[in-house]
Amino acid sequence: MYRNAINKQYGLSVSGGSDRSDYYFSLGYFDEEGTTIGTGFKRYNLTLKNNYKLSDKLNAGISVFGTQSERSSFMTDADAAASPINYSRNANPYLTPYNPDGSYRYDRDIDGYADQYVPFNFLEERENTDYTLKNHSLKAILDLEYKASKSLRFTSQLGLQYDINKTEKFAAENTYFTRKMREGTRYYKDGAYRYFLPQEG
């Protein structure tokens, strides 16, 4: 369920200029493996800054900052059965995750839904579900500075920011998450229990 996490970080920056203008540019990449297998975080950064001396009294600057990040994990249900912290403390220590034929061994101790048994295997859940949170951010800042005299300056700043956040969740039909959702659609009709969602397979 857990692993030794490795974090990787890379950066590249370039700067230069003259007596009339200067610039700074940088790119960054960060990759963090979660200590829980199946989780992680990635981020890309972009920074661009330019300053200009338009005259002896007027200076201008523009900065652009861009970020793209993605946090990934697996799905967890409302009763936190798929939470590794919760499951590792409550699981039967003699329960093996696989049957002798290599198929998943399901934990009979998981509550399920409304007293109905729902097959659960932690490894199956981790390998067949996905939860991703994506963020895109772009910010621009414009600066102006006017030197009226040695002791008097006027400054102005305008900033614009644009953000997009996306959440993606996926659970295959052969997962506890989907099986439990199906149990929630059970209803009684014509002397038998029926489901709005079809059976897996």
Side-chain angles (χ1 to χ4, degrees), residues 5 15 18 27 49 56 58-59 82 88 116 126 139 150 161 190-191 201:
S15 61
S18 64
L27 285 174
K49 296 181 179 180
D56 292 338
L58 184 61
N59 295 324
S88 62
Q116 293 294 316
R126 187 178 69 191
K139 179 168 63 175
K150 291 183 177 180
Q161 184 164 336
D190 298 330

Side-chain angles (χ1 to χ4, degrees), residues 101-190:
D101 62 358
S103 60
Y104 291 114
R105 183 189 297 274
Y106 296 112
D107 192 338
R108 304 287 304 193
D109 295 327
I110 297 300
D111 292 336
Y113 181 85
D115 298 325
Q116 293 294 316
Y117 170 68
V118 179
F120 171 84
N121 180 284
F122 180 85
L123 298 183
E124 180 185 55
E125 206 69 10
R126 187 178 69 191
E127 294 168 7
N128 293 283
T129 65
D130 184 67
Y131 174 47
T132 305
L133 176 62
K134 297 181 180 180
N135 173 263
H136 303 270
S137 177
L138 183 63
K139 179 168 63 175
I141 299 176
L142 176 64
D143 295 285
L144 288 175
E145 180 186 78
Y146 179 74
K147 299 178 182 178
S149 65
K150 291 183 177 180
S151 58
L152 181 61
R153 296 184 181 185
F154 296 96
T155 61
S156 178
Q157 185 179 83
L158 174 65
L160 298 173
Q161 184 164 336
Y162 180 68
D163 289 285
I164 299 177
N165 295 296
K166 294 182 179 180
T167 300
E168 297 178 1
K169 296 182 179 181
F170 169 79
E173 64 175 352
N174 55 332
T175 59
Y176 175 76
F177 186 92
T178 302
R179 295 183 190 114
K180 187 174 179 180
M181 180 181 293
R182 179 176 179 270
E183 286 296 328
T185 69
R186 186 165 61 112
Y187 64 97
Y188 189 81
K189 183 179 180 181
D190 298 330

